[in-house]
Amino acid sequence: MKKNLLILCCLAIFAKPLSGQTTVNLSEAGSLASHIGDESKYQITSLKVTGPINGTDILFLRDMAGIDADNAPTDGKLAVLDLSGASIVAGGEAYYTNYLTNQEDNTIDNVFGDRFFYGCTGLTSVTVPTSVTAIGDSAFMNCTNLESVTLPSTVTSIGKYAFSTTNMKSFDLSGFTSISEGIFEDCTNLNSVILPENCEEIPDNAFAGTALKQIDLPLTVAKIGEGAFSGSLLKKIHLPSAMRYLGDMAFWSCDSLLEADLNEGLVHIGNMAFSSCDKLSKIYIPNSVTELEGCCSTCENLTEAHLPESLDTIPSGMFDRCDNLQIVNVPENLKYVDEMAFQNDSHLKSFTFPEGLKGIGRSGFSGCSSLGEILLPNSVDTIGESCFSWCSSAKRLVLSTGIKEIPNSAFSYCDSLSEIIIPEGVTTVGDRAFCYTPLVKLTLPSTLTSIGRWAFAGTKLVTLYNFATTPATCGKRAFLFDRGDDEISDDNNGCTLFVPLGCKETYQGADGWSDFIITEFDVTGLTQVSRENMAKEVSRYNLNGVRVNNAGRGINIVKLSDGSVRKILVK
């Protein structure tokens, strides 16, 4: 009975965490377990180890700190570990094994190796041996409670993701020459860091997901890598004059970012570099930038943007879903607007499409519900699917004579368009091209050969001029009419179709055309497309060639922005 009580008492003692620091002095590497024993290894909360330690000792320490040889949680309670008097030597067991790849990590002399304490969630403080020269990759990664790591002056390099997903609050890197990839990624409480004085790069993911509200970048920094500050709490960023390269997602989802001061000399801005920065209201992209990707999408409070004057392509997704964007300059040498560049920018009221513009990509301006007019210069030869769909405020549309095809859904749901002239040269109108656009008057060119399914479904057509002598092939329900009863119908009786002289009988026998009220007209007396409405008055003169400010009675000579000159009779 006495023996049983003694055993119970001993168990009760070992079940309690041992208070105070336990010190173990080793003379032989690999012997730590024999000094501490299985009875105490899960009870020690603070430990100091001196002497040589190898892989077997690190494996035991990991067990004490909450993770065993199979990378499974243990009951270990070790929180404070002081190894300042220890020396790491090669040998012993592998201290970490990746069971997916069967890769094993072993100790190296004076190196705090890769994944040394990876996943040891119990640790709160670690003092590194004074003889260590390098900290390995992911050495403390996922030590979620780790607040403090004391490094000796002998450490000259820190590996990738060394402190990722720890509870570090501040860190001084001033004694180093460079920073490693992902070093503090997802350290959600890190709010202060001192960078190396002469470092040239902030690498990928270095401070992603941290609590940094400000950062002083050294004057020597020339590159910020992919996701370097993504998801951080930065309020302002000032790029030094040496900066040349901003990587993809560099400041993505920095929800607190109010100001981004980009330097002249910057060359490259990567995809989504400032995307989802919800508080950013203005951005000035320097004229020095020649490599620009879609960097500002989903900035919901962005109201004003400046693009480089020499830019020839507005990249894909550049201002996608920037709902409050109102002001953006248009570079005079612009050739292409890529897909989704201004998609769903519902407060963008105007955009001047410059002469020389060649193409607009898929959904380039889709959802720009405040855009008042769409005036495409003759240089435009391609437009993408849905490029102007849901532009519900656009009352004017002038199409380029260079376009051969109007693609699927290009102008669908443009609720304010009542009249469209499709210019000569267009051969194809795609599926749903003008679907649910309330057209009253429509002019089709002589070159048209094909109209897609539902191309003009939901229109309110009353007058339709068709210059083609041969009826275009019509897809299923190409013309459906909205007559105000909340339903659409293929009853064409309310619309008059004007066709060239001698073509009425041909249209009466053609699928998709026969149900119209068909009337012939003489095409020789009509100009199918007029672009005068697109050109703007530049100057006005009287018959004596004297420039005048206002229209005067009689003949006025007017010079237009497209270079043409018109004589206008003013009564």
Side-chain angles (χ1 to χ4, degrees):
M1 182 66 176
K2 289 183 179 179
K3 194 177 291 185
N4 290 338
L5 285 173
L6 181 60
I7 292 172
L8 287 172
C9 289
C10 290
L11 288 174
I13 290 169
F14 287 122
K16 280 187 172 184
L18 299 180
S19 60
Q21 186 181 68
T22 299
T23 301
V24 177
N25 303 307
L26 301 179
S27 58
E28 182 182 352
S31 63
L32 180 63
S34 62
H35 283 74
I36 292 178
D38 289 339
E39 297 83 2
S40 300
K41 68 175 180 178
Y42 290 158
Q43 312 310 320
I44 294 174
T45 59
S46 179
L47 176 66
K48 180 176 183 178
V49 179
T50 65
I53 55 174
N54 63 15
T56 303
D57 301 311
I58 300 301
L59 186 64
F60 188 76
L61 287 171
R62 287 173 55 81
D63 194 3
M64 293 179 68
I67 199 85
D68 67 11
D70 295 323
N71 298 325
T74 71
D75 294 328
K77 298 177 177 62
L78 182 61
V80 178
L81 177 60
D82 183 355
L83 297 177
S84 58
S87 59
I88 299 170
V89 297
E93 300 174 75
Y95 59 83
Y96 180 86
T97 302
N98 184 329
Y99 291 102
L100 294 177
T101 63
N102 289 322
Q103 177 186 346
E104 294 183 340
D105 291 325
N106 296 279
T107 50
I108 301 171
D109 288 351
N110 296 321
V111 173
F112 205 90
D114 297 350
R115 292 166 290 276
F116 236 46
F117 290 112
Y118 176 91
C120 293
T121 57
L123 290 175
T124 61
S125 174
V126 175
T127 302
V128 173
T130 56
S131 58
V132 163
T133 59
I135 305 295
D137 295 348
S138 306
F140 296 97
M141 187 176 184
N142 287 341
C143 292
T144 53
N145 289 298
L146 184 65
E147 297 182 359
S148 171
V149 174
T150 302
L151 301 179
S153 59
T154 51
V155 173
T156 58
S157 66
I158 301 175
K160 298 177 181 178
Y161 299 91
F163 303 108
S164 174
T165 325
T166 62
N167 199 30
M168 308 281 279
K169 294 177 174 61
S170 63
F171 207 90
D172 186 352
L173 292 167
S174 59
F176 298 87
T177 57
S178 63
I179 305 169
S180 61
E181 177 183 331
I183 183 171
F184 294 108
E185 183 186 42
D186 290 330
C187 291
T188 56
N189 288 311
L190 184 73
N191 55 46
S192 174
V193 66
I194 299 174
L195 300 179
E197 183 178 357
N198 295 313
C199 74
E200 297 179 356
E201 178 182 355
I202 309 296
D204 297 354
N205 303 313
F207 301 100
T210 63
L212 289 173
K213 294 182 179 180
Q214 64 179 39
I215 189 78
D216 294 322
L217 296 175
L219 298 176
T220 51
V221 173
K223 178 180 179 179
I224 294 179
E226 181 176 330
F229 293 96
S230 62
S232 68
L233 300 182
L234 287 175
K235 292 185 175 182
K236 180 179 179 180
I237 185 68
H238 172 77
L239 301 186
S241 59
M243 187 67 65
R244 297 294 179 267
Y245 186 98
L246 275 185
D248 294 352
M249 303 176 73
F251 297 95
W252 173 78
S253 197
C254 288
D255 294 340
S256 300
L257 190 66
L258 297 169
E259 183 179 341
D261 182 13
L262 310 186
N263 64 298
E264 194 66 44
L266 184 65
V267 174
H268 178 95
I269 302 179
N271 192 38
M272 300 176 69
F274 293 97
S275 292
S276 299
C277 291
D278 291 343
K279 292 186 178 179
L280 191 65
S281 61
K282 296 180 181 180
I283 190 163
Y284 184 98
I285 298 176
N287 291 327
S288 58
V289 173
T290 57
E291 301 169 5
L292 181 64
E293 298 181 38
C295 61
C296 293
S297 60
T298 61
C299 290
E300 62 182 31
N301 283 305
L302 189 69
T303 60
E304 185 175 343
H306 175 274
L307 295 170
E309 295 295 345
S310 61
L311 191 70
D312 63 4
T313 300
I314 298 178
S316 174
M318 180 67 194
F319 300 108
D320 177 24
R321 289 166 289 169
C322 292
D323 182 59
N324 286 293
L325 184 67
Q326 299 177 39
I327 300 171
V328 60
N329 67 308
V330 181
E332 63 179 26
N333 295 318
L334 188 67
K335 296 294 185 290
Y336 296 97
V337 178
D338 259 349
E339 61 182 31
M340 299 183 289
F342 294 91
Q343 180 178 240
N344 290 334
D345 292 354
S346 61
H347 285 78
L348 186 67
K349 293 182 178 180
S350 65
F351 190 92
T352 302
F353 298 93
E355 290 290 341
L357 183 70
K358 299 291 290 180
I360 299 169
R362 176 177 61 87
S363 299
F365 291 86
S366 176
C368 290
S369 54
S370 296
L371 199 63
E373 59 183 15
I374 303 165
L375 309 179
L376 301 181
N378 284 334
S379 54
V380 173
D381 55 25
T382 56
I383 56 176
E385 292 188 2
S386 302
C387 56
F388 292 98
S389 63
W390 299 96
C391 289
S392 54
S393 295
K395 295 181 178 180
R396 292 182 65 202
L397 169 62
V398 177
L399 292 170
S400 164
T401 57
I403 293 173
K404 304 303 180 187
E405 177 184 356
I406 298 176
N408 297 346
S409 304
F411 300 95
S412 61
Y413 298 94
C414 290
D415 295 343
S416 298
L417 282 178
S418 60
E419 180 179 353
I420 294 175
I421 297 173
I422 297 179
E424 289 295 323
V426 173
T427 61
T428 303
V429 176
D431 296 347
R432 303 173 303 282
F434 295 92
C435 181
Y436 287 100
T437 293
L439 300 176
V440 175
K441 185 177 180 180
L442 173 64
T443 301
L444 301 176
S446 64
T447 51
L448 190 64
T449 60
S450 174
I451 299 175
R453 296 174 299 167
W454 293 68
F456 296 98
T459 63
K460 299 177 182 290
L461 282 174
V462 174
T463 305
L464 172 53
Y465 282 93
N466 193 335
F467 281 72
T469 56
T470 301
T473 301
C474 290
K476 182 180 179 181
R477 312 192 85 179
F479 293 94
L480 289 173
F481 298 87
D482 179 1
R483 298 307 185 198
D485 54 1
D486 295 327
E487 293 184 7
I488 57 174
S489 167
D490 54 7
D491 180 3
N492 301 345
N493 290 329
C495 180
T496 300
L497 170 63
F498 293 88
V499 299
L501 290 173
C503 297
K504 179 176 180 178
E505 188 174 334
T506 304
Y507 274 85
Q508 286 176 331
D511 290 342
W513 302 101
S514 58
D515 291 335
F516 285 94
I517 302 169
I518 302 175
T519 300
E520 294 184 340
F521 73 108
D522 184 2
V523 299
T524 59
L526 296 174
T527 301
Q528 194 263 338
V529 176
S530 172
R531 297 185 61 83
E532 279 189 30
N533 289 337
M534 181 178 175
K536 300 184 185 301
E537 181 177 323
V538 174
S539 55
R540 182 179 289 258
Y541 304 84
N542 62 25
L543 278 178
N544 296 321
V546 178
R547 185 168 182 172
V548 294
N549 294 325
N550 301 304
R553 286 187 177 183
I555 295 176
N556 288 222
I557 301 171
V558 178
K559 184 177 181 181
L560 300 175
S561 58
D562 62 0
S564 63
V565 177
R566 298 284 185 271
K567 289 183 179 180
I568 298 174
L569 177 62
V570 179
K571 295 181 180 181

